[in-house]
Amino acid sequence: MNPFSARRSSVAGTKPCLVALVGNPNTGKSTIFNRLTGLRQRIANYPGVTVDRKSGRMRLEAGDFEIVDLPGTYSLTAVSHDERVVMDVLGGRRNMQRPDLLVFVLDATNLKRNLFLVSQAAELGLPTLIALNQCDAARRNGLRIDAARLSRRLGVPVIETVGSNGLGMDELKAAIVEALEAPCFLPRIAWPECITAGCVMLRDGICTLGCKDISDAEVLRVLFDRESVYTEPVLEKLRLRDLIHEAHDGIRSSGLSPGSVEAVLHYRHIETLLEGVVESSGPIARTRESVDRLLLHRVWGTLIFFGVMYAVFQSLYTWAAPMMDLVSAGTDWVQTWVAGFLTGTPVLQSLVCDGILAGVGGVLVFLPQILLLFFFISVLEDTGYVARAAFLMDKLFGWCGLNGKSFVPLLSGYACAIPGVMAARTIEDPKARLTTILMTPFMSCSARLPIYILLIGTFVEPLHGPYVAGWVLFFMHFVGVGVALPLAWVLNRFFLRVKPLPFILEMPDYRLPILRNVVHRMWERGREFVLRAGTVILAFSVIIWALLYFPHEESVATGARAEFVQIQSAERPEAAVLAALQNPESPTSLRLANYVDAAYIEQSFLGRFGKTVQPVFDPAGFDWKITVGVLSSFPAREVIIATMGIIYNLGSDVDEGSTDLRTVLQKEKWTSGSRIGQPVYTMPVVFAIMVFFALCMQCGATVAVVAKELNWWWATASFFGMTALAWVAAVAIYQTARMIPILMS
Amino acid sequence: MMEGVIVAGIILASAIYLGVQVYRKYSRKSGSGCGSCGSCPTDTPRVK
C-alpha cells in the first residue's frame, strides 16, 4: 500500500483531541504518558523500551484528551520499524489520526541533540509544546536552562518537568489545554534556494504521478533520506530516483553536500536558538565517567556483569526459599481442608484436590521467585546498568552477527520473549532483526524458572548444597544464550550474511531506582502470574485431571487387585494376603491402594497417550509421565508444574503422609521396561529435562508474536527448529551422562 | 448424579475457556497486548 495515501482528517467528529508525545529515546516520554493518563505503560532507564504507539485518555475539567506515547527517535529519518510508527502517526498515514498537538519531551541534560528532532519537525506545521524533562538531572550536572528564553526563541510554550516525581505535570496539563485553544508553531529554518528548488521539483513530480496530499516535511524526507522504511515504498512505486538525483545535483552545484546539508543547517539553527539559553555553572560531576570506565572495561566490566548475574540467580535461589515453604504449606493446608468438605463426593473431591489445588497450588509456589526476579530486573533497568551491559555485549555478540542493539531484545527475553521479540523493531537491518527475533525465544524467560527451581531444589540441592544449586540455576540461564549465539553465527555465516553495523547507544545517567516503579513492576508480574494460575493454568489443570482420571473403569481396579494378590502370593500364602487386605489400615492394603491408583492412571486417556508417545522421548530418559508433562506444556511451559502436580498427586504413595511434589519425584521409579524398579529421576534425566525446557519453544503466545512480527513461515520454522534442537540436546545429555555410572544412581 | 453434572460442567467450562483464550490470542494484533507478559497496559479498557 502506498504509505502516502489514506490520510485522515486531524479531528474526526466527536473524537477527543489527539496529543502525541514525541522525543529522543529515553527522555521520559512513557513516564510522562503514565503521569498524564494514570496508566502503567512500561518504563526503564535505557533507550528502546517503547516500540509501538500506545494511547490512553487524559481526563481534565476541560474535557478528555487522547495521549499517544510514541517510540523514541533521534530524527524523522525512519530507518527502523519503530521509527516508522512515529512517521506514520505524525504524517497521519496508514489510517492513523494526525495529532492535534505535538508535545516534545526533551532531555534537559542534552538539549542540543534533542532539539534536532524538534527543528526537523517544525516542517510538519503542527501545533507544538515542549516539556523540558529531567530538569533535576540537568541541575545536578551543573546546567542552568533559561526555559522562558527558549520558549520565546521557539515561539512555543516550554514547561519544565521531572517525570519521575511528577514535578511540572499540572503546568503541562494546563499548557496542553491552552496550546489546543491557541496553537503555537515552531519556526521553520530558512532553506537555501537550491533545496527549495529541489523540493518544488520533487513535489511537482510526485503530484504528476498522482500523489497530491504530500506535506512539506514528507517532500524533505524524500529529498534527504537515503534509506527509509517510510519513503522507500513510494520511491519504488513512483520511480522518483531520477528526480532525486537531479535535485541532489542542484544542491551539489551550490557547493553543499546532499548527505550532510540537512544536519548542518539544523544544527546551525539550534546553535542560534540555544545562545544564552544553556549555561554550565561549575564542573560536571566526574563520578559517572569513573564508574563507566570500570563497568565498560573489557575485562573488569565483563567480570562485573557475570558477577551481578550470578548474585541475582543465587539470591533468587536462597532468598525465596522461606517464602516458598510458606506458600507450599498454605496450599497443603487448603487441600486438606477442602478434602474434608468433599468426602461424600469422591470424583469431585479428586477434581478439586488432586486436579485444581494440586495444579494451581504447584504453580503458585513459585510466586516468590517471580517477584524477586522482577525486583532485580527493575533495579538493573532503573539504575542505567542495562545500557552499559548492552555496550559490553556488543563486543561479545559481534562475532556471531548480532550487535549490541540485539542485547535489549535479548535481555527483555529473560523476562518474557514477547516484549523481547517486539523490541527487535529498533534494529534497522532486516537480517539482523530477523536473527535477533529468532534467537530471543532461547533466552531463559521467567516461565522456565519454576521447572529449574523444582528440579534443582529436588535433586541438586540435597546432594550438593544451596551454593552449587545456585550455580546450576545460574548456568541454566545461560544455556539458551550458549546455544543461540553459535546458531546465530551459522545463520549469518551461511544464510543471511548480515553486514556488521556500527552500534550507537546512548548511555543514560545513573539513577537511583524509584521504589514505586520497582514495586509496580513486581506487582504487575506477580499479578499476571497469579491471574494466569487462576485462569489458564486452572482450566488446564481441570482438563489434565479429567484426562488422567477417566475412563476410570471398575474393571481396571478388579484386574489390578487380582494382579496384586497374585504378585503378593508369590512371597507368602494367598490366605495371608487376603487376610491382610481385610484391614484397610494394614501396609498391604495401602500398597494395594497405590497399585490400583497407578493402574487407573496408566489406563487413563492421558496415560495411554503418554505411553504411545513415550518411545519418542525414551532416548532422553523420559518416562511416560514426563512425556505427558512435556507435551502438555507446549502451549505454555509453566503448565508442566501443574501437570506433574496432578500426575504425581493422583499416583502418589498414600502411605507417604506427604503429597509434596519434591518428595514424590525423588521416590518415583520405573514400573515397566528394562529399567523397572530403578529411579526415574537420575541426574542425567534431570539435566535432560532442564535443557529440553531451556531450548524448546513451548509458548503459543511467542509463536503468534513471531508470526506477526515476521510471518508464519518463520514462526513455524522457529517452533520446529527449537523443538528438534531441544530433543537432540536432551538425548545427547542423557546418553552421554548415563555412561558415568555414579550419575545414574 | 448431581456430582457427575458438576464435574462435567467444570470440565466443559474449562475446555470452552481454553478454546476462547486460544482464539483471542491468535486473533489479536501485535502490540495490542496479548496479556502474556504484563508489559502492555492491558489492565484498563481505556487503552487501545
Side-chain angles (χ1 to χ4, degrees), chain A residues 559-601:
Chain A
R561 187 187 160 92
E563 206 175 283
F564 179 80
V565 172
Q566 200 179 354
I567 293 166
Q568 291 290 313
S569 304
E571 295 168 11
R572 54 188 164 148
E574 192 178 333
V577 176
L578 293 173
L581 289 177
Q582 295 297 316
N583 176 11
E585 298 298 319
S586 72
T588 314
S589 292
L590 293 173
R591 274 202 295 277
L592 172 63
N594 289 340
Y595 198 81
V596 172
D597 278 346
Y600 271 132
I601 286 189

mmCIF file of all heavy atoms in Angstrom, chain A residues 559-601:
data_model
loop_
_atom_site.group_PDB
_atom_site.id
_atom_site.type_symbol
_atom_site.label_atom_id
_atom_site.label_comp_id
_atom_site.label_asym_id
_atom_site.label_seq_id
_atom_site.Cartn_x
_atom_site.Cartn_y
_atom_site.Cartn_z
ATOM 1 N N GLY A 559 -8.994 -55.917 37.990
ATOM 2 C CA GLY A 559 -7.833 -56.562 37.384
ATOM 3 C C GLY A 559 -6.566 -56.285 38.184
ATOM 4 O O GLY A 559 -5.757 -57.186 38.429
ATOM 5 N N ALA A 560 -6.413 -55.019 38.610
ATOM 6 C CA ALA A 560 -5.211 -54.636 39.363
ATOM 7 C C ALA A 560 -5.178 -55.375 40.692
ATOM 8 O O ALA A 560 -4.112 -55.826 41.144
ATOM 9 C CB ALA A 560 -5.206 -53.130 39.593
ATOM 10 N N ARG A 561 -6.348 -55.497 41.316
ATOM 11 C CA ARG A 561 -6.426 -56.182 42.618
ATOM 12 C C ARG A 561 -6.010 -57.652 42.469
ATOM 13 O O ARG A 561 -5.203 -58.147 43.261
ATOM 14 C CB ARG A 561 -7.864 -56.068 43.149
ATOM 15 C CG ARG A 561 -8.053 -56.569 44.541
ATOM 16 C CD ARG A 561 -9.538 -56.566 44.900
ATOM 17 N NE ARG A 561 -9.772 -57.448 46.015
ATOM 18 C CZ ARG A 561 -9.760 -57.061 47.282
ATOM 19 N NH1 ARG A 561 -9.559 -55.797 47.577
ATOM 20 N NH2 ARG A 561 -9.958 -57.926 48.253
ATOM 21 N N ALA A 562 -6.532 -58.310 41.422
ATOM 22 C CA ALA A 562 -6.204 -59.725 41.184
ATOM 23 C C ALA A 562 -4.706 -59.876 40.931
ATOM 24 O O ALA A 562 -4.056 -60.783 41.456
ATOM 25 C CB ALA A 562 -7.010 -60.237 39.992
ATOM 26 N N GLU A 563 -4.169 -58.947 40.130
ATOM 27 C CA GLU A 563 -2.745 -58.988 39.793
ATOM 28 C C GLU A 563 -1.898 -58.796 41.052
ATOM 29 O O GLU A 563 -0.898 -59.485 41.261
ATOM 30 C CB GLU A 563 -2.468 -57.860 38.791
ATOM 31 C CG GLU A 563 -1.274 -58.099 37.888
ATOM 32 C CD GLU A 563 -1.174 -56.983 36.867
ATOM 33 O OE1 GLU A 563 -1.951 -56.994 35.907
ATOM 34 O OE2 GLU A 563 -0.330 -56.078 37.051
ATOM 35 N N PHE A 564 -2.354 -57.864 41.911
ATOM 36 C CA PHE A 564 -1.629 -57.558 43.150
ATOM 37 C C PHE A 564 -1.579 -58.780 44.054
ATOM 38 O O PHE A 564 -0.524 -59.147 44.584
ATOM 39 C CB PHE A 564 -2.313 -56.378 43.862
ATOM 40 C CG PHE A 564 -1.663 -55.997 45.153
ATOM 41 C CD1 PHE A 564 -0.516 -55.206 45.173
ATOM 42 C CD2 PHE A 564 -2.188 -56.425 46.374
ATOM 43 C CE1 PHE A 564 0.090 -54.849 46.377
ATOM 44 C CE2 PHE A 564 -1.592 -56.082 47.580
ATOM 45 C CZ PHE A 564 -0.451 -55.284 47.579
ATOM 46 N N VAL A 565 -2.750 -59.434 44.179
ATOM 47 C CA VAL A 565 -2.831 -60.614 45.040
ATOM 48 C C VAL A 565 -1.918 -61.708 44.509
ATOM 49 O O VAL A 565 -1.186 -62.359 45.270
ATOM 50 C CB VAL A 565 -4.301 -61.111 45.140
ATOM 51 C CG1 VAL A 565 -4.365 -62.442 45.872
ATOM 52 C CG2 VAL A 565 -5.167 -60.074 45.867
ATOM 53 N N GLN A 566 -1.896 -61.837 43.180
ATOM 54 C CA GLN A 566 -1.046 -62.858 42.550
ATOM 55 C C GLN A 566 0.438 -62.577 42.838
ATOM 56 O O GLN A 566 1.192 -63.480 43.190
ATOM 57 C CB GLN A 566 -1.297 -62.833 41.046
ATOM 58 C CG GLN A 566 -0.879 -64.113 40.366
ATOM 59 C CD GLN A 566 -1.174 -64.052 38.865
ATOM 60 O OE1 GLN A 566 -1.779 -63.106 38.379
ATOM 61 N NE2 GLN A 566 -0.741 -65.054 38.161
ATOM 62 N N ILE A 567 0.829 -61.312 42.719
ATOM 63 C CA ILE A 567 2.238 -60.957 42.961
ATOM 64 C C ILE A 567 2.595 -61.205 44.423
ATOM 65 O O ILE A 567 3.630 -61.781 44.749
ATOM 66 C CB ILE A 567 2.491 -59.474 42.592
ATOM 67 C CG1 ILE A 567 2.330 -59.261 41.080
ATOM 68 C CG2 ILE A 567 3.895 -59.013 43.023
ATOM 69 C CD1 ILE A 567 2.232 -57.816 40.651
ATOM 70 N N GLN A 568 1.690 -60.779 45.315
ATOM 71 C CA GLN A 568 1.951 -60.935 46.748
ATOM 72 C C GLN A 568 2.000 -62.425 47.139
ATOM 73 O O GLN A 568 2.767 -62.821 48.026
ATOM 74 C CB GLN A 568 0.853 -60.229 47.565
ATOM 75 C CG GLN A 568 0.905 -58.711 47.462
ATOM 76 C CD GLN A 568 2.092 -58.121 48.177
ATOM 77 O OE1 GLN A 568 2.378 -58.478 49.320
ATOM 78 N NE2 GLN A 568 2.820 -57.234 47.503
ATOM 79 N N SER A 569 1.169 -63.223 46.445
ATOM 80 C CA SER A 569 1.096 -64.654 46.777
ATOM 81 C C SER A 569 2.378 -65.385 46.455
ATOM 82 O O SER A 569 2.635 -66.470 46.980
ATOM 83 C CB SER A 569 -0.063 -65.318 46.024
ATOM 84 O OG SER A 569 -1.241 -64.637 46.323
ATOM 85 N N ALA A 570 3.195 -64.796 45.601
ATOM 86 C CA ALA A 570 4.485 -65.407 45.280
ATOM 87 C C ALA A 570 5.419 -65.318 46.472
ATOM 88 O O ALA A 570 6.340 -66.118 46.609
ATOM 89 C CB ALA A 570 5.101 -64.709 44.075
ATOM 90 N N GLU A 571 5.173 -64.348 47.365
ATOM 91 C CA GLU A 571 6.048 -64.146 48.529
ATOM 92 C C GLU A 571 5.531 -64.864 49.781
ATOM 93 O O GLU A 571 6.288 -65.250 50.646
ATOM 94 C CB GLU A 571 6.185 -62.646 48.823
ATOM 95 C CG GLU A 571 6.894 -61.893 47.700
ATOM 96 C CD GLU A 571 6.772 -60.385 47.854
ATOM 97 O OE1 GLU A 571 6.318 -59.918 48.928
ATOM 98 O OE2 GLU A 571 7.134 -59.671 46.894
ATOM 99 N N ARG A 572 4.191 -64.922 49.909
ATOM 100 C CA ARG A 572 3.587 -65.557 51.098
ATOM 101 C C ARG A 572 2.252 -66.198 50.703
ATOM 102 O O ARG A 572 1.730 -65.896 49.618
ATOM 103 C CB ARG A 572 3.401 -64.536 52.219
ATOM 104 C CG ARG A 572 2.631 -63.313 51.786
ATOM 105 C CD ARG A 572 2.645 -62.262 52.857
ATOM 106 N NE ARG A 572 2.228 -60.992 52.276
ATOM 107 C CZ ARG A 572 1.570 -60.086 52.927
ATOM 108 N NH1 ARG A 572 1.266 -60.286 54.196
ATOM 109 N NH2 ARG A 572 1.233 -58.951 52.367
ATOM 110 N N PRO A 573 1.637 -67.035 51.585
ATOM 111 C CA PRO A 573 0.386 -67.717 51.232
ATOM 112 C C PRO A 573 -0.732 -66.736 50.877
ATOM 113 O O PRO A 573 -0.826 -65.659 51.477
ATOM 114 C CB PRO A 573 0.031 -68.493 52.507
ATOM 115 C CG PRO A 573 1.279 -68.542 53.298
ATOM 116 C CD PRO A 573 2.127 -67.396 52.912
ATOM 117 N N GLU A 574 -1.531 -67.124 49.892
ATOM 118 C CA GLU A 574 -2.605 -66.253 49.419
ATOM 119 C C GLU A 574 -3.586 -65.885 50.530
ATOM 120 O O GLU A 574 -4.082 -64.770 50.609
ATOM 121 C CB GLU A 574 -3.336 -66.940 48.263
ATOM 122 C CG GLU A 574 -4.266 -66.009 47.520
ATOM 123 C CD GLU A 574 -4.965 -66.656 46.340
ATOM 124 O OE1 GLU A 574 -4.408 -67.609 45.766
ATOM 125 O OE2 GLU A 574 -6.069 -66.197 46.012
ATOM 126 N N ALA A 575 -3.842 -66.865 51.397
ATOM 127 C CA ALA A 575 -4.786 -66.633 52.506
ATOM 128 C C ALA A 575 -4.295 -65.510 53.406
ATOM 129 O O ALA A 575 -5.077 -64.661 53.868
ATOM 130 C CB ALA A 575 -4.945 -67.909 53.316
ATOM 131 N N ALA A 576 -2.973 -65.462 53.641
ATOM 132 C CA ALA A 576 -2.401 -64.411 54.485
ATOM 133 C C ALA A 576 -2.555 -63.044 53.816
ATOM 134 O O ALA A 576 -2.840 -62.038 54.481
ATOM 135 C CB ALA A 576 -0.921 -64.702 54.740
ATOM 136 N N VAL A 577 -2.380 -63.030 52.499
ATOM 137 C CA VAL A 577 -2.531 -61.762 51.753
ATOM 138 C C VAL A 577 -3.966 -61.277 51.873
ATOM 139 O O VAL A 577 -4.222 -60.104 52.182
ATOM 140 C CB VAL A 577 -2.142 -61.960 50.261
ATOM 141 C CG1 VAL A 577 -2.401 -60.676 49.473
ATOM 142 C CG2 VAL A 577 -0.689 -62.383 50.136
ATOM 143 N N LEU A 578 -4.920 -62.195 51.628
ATOM 144 C CA LEU A 578 -6.346 -61.825 51.691
ATOM 145 C C LEU A 578 -6.726 -61.370 53.085
ATOM 146 O O LEU A 578 -7.514 -60.423 53.251
ATOM 147 C CB LEU A 578 -7.217 -62.993 51.233
ATOM 148 C CG LEU A 578 -7.068 -63.350 49.733
ATOM 149 C CD1 LEU A 578 -7.835 -64.616 49.395
ATOM 150 C CD2 LEU A 578 -7.567 -62.185 48.865
ATOM 151 N N ALA A 579 -6.164 -62.018 54.088
ATOM 152 C CA ALA A 579 -6.455 -61.619 55.478
ATOM 153 C C ALA A 579 -5.935 -60.215 55.750
ATOM 154 O O ALA A 579 -6.614 -59.395 56.381
ATOM 155 C CB ALA A 579 -5.796 -62.619 56.435
ATOM 156 N N ALA A 580 -4.739 -59.930 55.233
ATOM 157 C CA ALA A 580 -4.151 -58.586 55.444
ATOM 158 C C ALA A 580 -5.010 -57.524 54.767
ATOM 159 O O ALA A 580 -5.135 -56.398 55.251
ATOM 160 C CB ALA A 580 -2.725 -58.551 54.901
ATOM 161 N N LEU A 581 -5.616 -57.912 53.636
ATOM 162 C CA LEU A 581 -6.424 -56.929 52.902
ATOM 163 C C LEU A 581 -7.762 -56.633 53.583
ATOM 164 O O LEU A 581 -8.434 -55.656 53.233
ATOM 165 C CB LEU A 581 -6.674 -57.424 51.468
ATOM 166 C CG LEU A 581 -5.445 -57.404 50.541
ATOM 167 C CD1 LEU A 581 -5.794 -57.977 49.175
ATOM 168 C CD2 LEU A 581 -4.902 -55.999 50.382
ATOM 169 N N GLN A 582 -8.138 -57.488 54.564
ATOM 170 C CA GLN A 582 -9.375 -57.236 55.309
ATOM 171 C C GLN A 582 -9.246 -55.957 56.145
ATOM 172 O O GLN A 582 -10.234 -55.269 56.401
ATOM 173 C CB GLN A 582 -9.691 -58.420 56.235
ATOM 174 C CG GLN A 582 -10.001 -59.723 55.502
ATOM 175 C CD GLN A 582 -11.246 -59.621 54.628
ATOM 176 O OE1 GLN A 582 -12.254 -59.078 55.040
ATOM 177 N NE2 GLN A 582 -11.154 -60.133 53.405
ATOM 178 N N ASN A 583 -8.030 -55.681 56.576
ATOM 179 C CA ASN A 583 -7.793 -54.480 57.386
ATOM 180 C C ASN A 583 -7.358 -53.312 56.480
ATOM 181 O O ASN A 583 -6.261 -53.328 55.922
ATOM 182 C CB ASN A 583 -6.680 -54.787 58.419
ATOM 183 C CG ASN A 583 -6.309 -53.548 59.226
ATOM 184 O OD1 ASN A 583 -6.999 -52.530 59.159
ATOM 185 N ND2 ASN A 583 -5.218 -53.659 59.974
ATOM 186 N N PRO A 584 -8.233 -52.312 56.328
ATOM 187 C CA PRO A 584 -7.898 -51.223 55.393
ATOM 188 C C PRO A 584 -6.674 -50.404 55.808
ATOM 189 O O PRO A 584 -6.112 -49.670 54.994
ATOM 190 C CB PRO A 584 -9.164 -50.356 55.394
ATOM 191 C CG PRO A 584 -9.940 -50.751 56.577
ATOM 192 C CD PRO A 584 -9.536 -52.150 56.964
ATOM 193 N N GLU A 585 -6.254 -50.494 57.094
ATOM 194 C CA GLU A 585 -5.108 -49.713 57.571
ATOM 195 C C GLU A 585 -3.787 -50.470 57.441
ATOM 196 O O GLU A 585 -2.726 -49.915 57.717
ATOM 197 C CB GLU A 585 -5.308 -49.334 59.056
ATOM 198 C CG GLU A 585 -6.527 -48.464 59.322
ATOM 199 C CD GLU A 585 -6.453 -47.125 58.616
ATOM 200 O OE1 GLU A 585 -5.355 -46.523 58.593
ATOM 201 O OE2 GLU A 585 -7.486 -46.688 58.056
ATOM 202 N N SER A 586 -3.862 -51.775 57.063
ATOM 203 C CA SER A 586 -2.626 -52.574 57.004
ATOM 204 C C SER A 586 -1.730 -52.094 55.856
ATOM 205 O O SER A 586 -2.224 -51.554 54.856
ATOM 206 C CB SER A 586 -2.971 -54.048 56.808
ATOM 207 O OG SER A 586 -3.436 -54.243 55.476
ATOM 208 N N PRO A 587 -0.401 -52.307 55.988
ATOM 209 C CA PRO A 587 0.518 -51.904 54.913
ATOM 210 C C PRO A 587 0.156 -52.536 53.575
ATOM 211 O O PRO A 587 0.293 -51.911 52.536
ATOM 212 C CB PRO A 587 1.880 -52.394 55.408
ATOM 213 C CG PRO A 587 1.735 -52.551 56.880
ATOM 214 C CD PRO A 587 0.298 -52.880 57.135
ATOM 215 N N THR A 588 -0.319 -53.798 53.613
ATOM 216 C CA THR A 588 -0.687 -54.480 52.357
ATOM 217 C C THR A 588 -1.845 -53.749 51.683
ATOM 218 O O THR A 588 -1.839 -53.551 50.453
ATOM 219 C CB THR A 588 -1.071 -55.948 52.639
ATOM 220 O OG1 THR A 588 -0.091 -56.508 53.508
ATOM 221 C CG2 THR A 588 -1.135 -56.765 51.369
ATOM 222 N N SER A 589 -2.828 -53.320 52.481
ATOM 223 C CA SER A 589 -3.977 -52.598 51.900
ATOM 224 C C SER A 589 -3.524 -51.284 51.274
ATOM 225 O O SER A 589 -4.000 -50.886 50.204
ATOM 226 C CB SER A 589 -5.023 -52.306 52.981
ATOM 227 O OG SER A 589 -5.608 -53.503 53.404
ATOM 228 N N LEU A 590 -2.610 -50.587 51.973
ATOM 229 C CA LEU A 590 -2.126 -49.310 51.444
ATOM 230 C C LEU A 590 -1.354 -49.522 50.137
ATOM 231 O O LEU A 590 -1.481 -48.744 49.200
ATOM 232 C CB LEU A 590 -1.234 -48.604 52.477
ATOM 233 C CG LEU A 590 -1.971 -48.132 53.734
ATOM 234 C CD1 LEU A 590 -0.998 -47.599 54.765
ATOM 235 C CD2 LEU A 590 -3.005 -47.065 53.406
ATOM 236 N N ARG A 591 -0.575 -50.654 50.126
ATOM 237 C CA ARG A 591 0.171 -50.951 48.889
ATOM 238 C C ARG A 591 -0.795 -51.269 47.746
ATOM 239 O O ARG A 591 -0.585 -50.872 46.613
ATOM 240 C CB ARG A 591 1.138 -52.103 49.123
ATOM 241 C CG ARG A 591 2.491 -51.639 49.682
ATOM 242 C CD ARG A 591 3.578 -52.670 49.390
ATOM 243 N NE ARG A 591 3.338 -53.932 50.083
ATOM 244 C CZ ARG A 591 3.687 -54.146 51.368
ATOM 245 N NH1 ARG A 591 4.319 -53.199 52.050
ATOM 246 N NH2 ARG A 591 3.437 -55.283 51.945
ATOM 247 N N LEU A 592 -1.887 -51.967 48.077
ATOM 248 C CA LEU A 592 -2.891 -52.285 47.054
ATOM 249 C C LEU A 592 -3.531 -50.992 46.515
ATOM 250 O O LEU A 592 -3.727 -50.843 45.305
ATOM 251 C CB LEU A 592 -3.978 -53.202 47.632
ATOM 252 C CG LEU A 592 -5.189 -53.440 46.715
ATOM 253 C CD1 LEU A 592 -4.765 -54.158 45.426
ATOM 254 C CD2 LEU A 592 -6.282 -54.243 47.409
ATOM 255 N N ALA A 593 -3.843 -50.076 47.439
ATOM 256 C CA ALA A 593 -4.447 -48.797 47.017
ATOM 257 C C ALA A 593 -3.530 -48.082 46.028
ATOM 258 O O ALA A 593 -3.981 -47.550 45.005
ATOM 259 C CB ALA A 593 -4.710 -47.922 48.235
ATOM 260 N N ASN A 594 -2.216 -48.059 46.328
ATOM 261 C CA ASN A 594 -1.247 -47.438 45.414
ATOM 262 C C ASN A 594 -1.254 -48.141 44.059
ATOM 263 O O ASN A 594 -1.200 -47.514 43.008
ATOM 264 C CB ASN A 594 0.187 -47.531 45.969
ATOM 265 C CG ASN A 594 0.365 -46.623 47.155
ATOM 266 O OD1 ASN A 594 -0.405 -45.685 47.323
ATOM 267 N ND2 ASN A 594 1.352 -46.926 47.982
ATOM 268 N N TYR A 595 -1.314 -49.480 44.134
ATOM 269 C CA TYR A 595 -1.256 -50.294 42.923
ATOM 270 C C TYR A 595 -2.466 -50.002 42.035
ATOM 271 O O TYR A 595 -2.344 -49.860 40.817
ATOM 272 C CB TYR A 595 -1.206 -51.765 43.325
ATOM 273 C CG TYR A 595 -0.710 -52.674 42.234
ATOM 274 C CD1 TYR A 595 0.659 -52.815 41.991
ATOM 275 C CD2 TYR A 595 -1.610 -53.378 41.432
ATOM 276 C CE1 TYR A 595 1.115 -53.634 40.969
ATOM 277 C CE2 TYR A 595 -1.159 -54.200 40.407
ATOM 278 C CZ TYR A 595 0.201 -54.327 40.189
ATOM 279 O OH TYR A 595 0.654 -55.135 39.179
ATOM 280 N N VAL A 596 -3.630 -49.894 42.666
ATOM 281 C CA VAL A 596 -4.865 -49.617 41.909
ATOM 282 C C VAL A 596 -4.816 -48.213 41.316
ATOM 283 O O VAL A 596 -5.165 -47.996 40.136
ATOM 284 C CB VAL A 596 -6.109 -49.794 42.822
ATOM 285 C CG1 VAL A 596 -7.377 -49.313 42.121
ATOM 286 C CG2 VAL A 596 -6.255 -51.254 43.243
ATOM 287 N N ASP A 597 -4.342 -47.230 42.118
ATOM 288 C CA ASP A 597 -4.236 -45.848 41.618
ATOM 289 C C ASP A 597 -3.332 -45.793 40.390
ATOM 290 O O ASP A 597 -3.650 -45.130 39.394
ATOM 291 C CB ASP A 597 -3.653 -44.927 42.705
ATOM 292 C CG ASP A 597 -4.735 -44.480 43.669
ATOM 293 O OD1 ASP A 597 -5.918 -44.668 43.326
ATOM 294 O OD2 ASP A 597 -4.383 -43.957 44.742
ATOM 295 N N ALA A 598 -2.178 -46.490 40.498
ATOM 296 C CA ALA A 598 -1.223 -46.490 39.386
ATOM 297 C C ALA A 598 -1.869 -47.114 38.142
ATOM 298 O O ALA A 598 -1.684 -46.625 37.026
ATOM 299 C CB ALA A 598 0.034 -47.265 39.782
ATOM 300 N N ALA A 599 -2.667 -48.195 38.366
ATOM 301 C CA ALA A 599 -3.333 -48.850 37.227
ATOM 302 C C ALA A 599 -4.348 -47.928 36.577
ATOM 303 O O ALA A 599 -4.454 -47.855 35.354
ATOM 304 C CB ALA A 599 -4.023 -50.127 37.716
ATOM 305 N N TYR A 600 -5.102 -47.182 37.420
ATOM 306 C CA TYR A 600 -6.082 -46.221 36.884
ATOM 307 C C TYR A 600 -5.390 -45.175 36.002
ATOM 308 O O TYR A 600 -5.861 -44.853 34.915
ATOM 309 C CB TYR A 600 -6.817 -45.511 38.030
ATOM 310 C CG TYR A 600 -8.073 -46.230 38.497
ATOM 311 C CD1 TYR A 600 -8.315 -46.450 39.847
ATOM 312 C CD2 TYR A 600 -9.027 -46.647 37.569
ATOM 313 C CE1 TYR A 600 -9.471 -47.098 40.282
ATOM 314 C CE2 TYR A 600 -10.182 -47.295 37.990
ATOM 315 C CZ TYR A 600 -10.399 -47.515 39.344
ATOM 316 O OH TYR A 600 -11.541 -48.146 39.740
ATOM 317 N N ILE A 601 -4.269 -44.652 36.521
ATOM 318 C CA ILE A 601 -3.563 -43.598 35.765
ATOM 319 C C ILE A 601 -3.021 -44.165 34.453
ATOM 320 O O ILE A 601 -3.148 -43.540 33.401
ATOM 321 C CB ILE A 601 -2.406 -43.007 36.616
ATOM 322 C CG1 ILE A 601 -3.013 -42.129 37.689
ATOM 323 C CG2 ILE A 601 -1.465 -42.191 35.763
ATOM 324 C CD1 ILE A 601 -2.006 -41.336 38.445
#
